[in-house]
């Protein structure tokens, strides 16, 4: 996945978080999961992309010590198969829009 997409994802998370925070709706830990509909991505590619995204976000482990609340608890980039392995009770499937 390209650097431009990673930048767009970072902006999306920050903008959405800021909107929800300002609306006083951030009451639980925030997990940022990106699901891509590219089944051919390997576990290594998904892991590498997750690492790049994590480096660009202040996830709990990388947040400044002066913060009393974490911005993002964790994040991951997954395809549908990886999601279903990670969250077997929350199965995803791709549906066709064509009749």
């Amino acid at each position: 996945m390209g650097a431009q997409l990673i930048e767009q994802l970072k902006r999306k998370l920050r903008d959405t978080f800021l909107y929800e925070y300002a609306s006083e709706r951030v009451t639980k830990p925030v997990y940022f999961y990106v699901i891509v509909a590219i089944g051919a991505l390997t576990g290594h590619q998904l892991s590498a992309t997750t690492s790049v995204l994590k480096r660009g976000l202040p996830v709990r482990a990388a947040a400044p010590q002066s913060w009393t609340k974490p911005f993002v608890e964790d994040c991951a980039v997954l395809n549908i198969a990886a999601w279903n392995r990670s969250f077997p009770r929350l199965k995803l499937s791709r549906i066709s829009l064509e009749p």
Side-chain angles (χ1 to χ4, degrees):
M1 299 179 77
Q4 184 178 6
L5 178 59
I6 295 295
E7 285 303 313
Q8 289 174 344
L9 292 171
K10 289 177 2 185
R11 281 194 304 275
K12 174 64 176 164
L13 172 64
R14 289 177 181 150
D15 291 350
T16 300
F17 179 85
L18 182 59
Y19 180 84
E20 293 296 316
Y21 182 81
S23 300
E24 296 186 352
R25 289 191 293 245
V26 179
T27 59
K28 296 179 182 180
V30 174
Y31 293 85
F32 186 51
Y33 296 119
V34 178
I35 302 167
V36 294
I38 305 172
L41 289 174
T42 66
H44 176 71
Q45 290 168 315
L46 293 169
S47 179
T49 304
T50 295
S51 294
V52 172
L53 183 59
K54 280 186 177 186
R55 283 194 300 272
L57 296 174
V59 295
R60 177 182 274 285
Q65 289 184 354
S66 61
W67 288 11
T68 58
K69 289 174 57 174
F71 176 61
V72 179
E73 192 71 27
D74 201 6
C75 72
V77 178
L78 308 157
N79 59 17
I80 293 172
W83 173 274
N84 288 337
R85 282 191 304 276
S86 298
F87 303 101
R89 296 176 68 197
L90 302 169
K91 293 279 187 183
L92 286 180
S93 62
R94 190 168 186 174
I95 59 171
S96 173
L97 296 178
E98 299 188 19

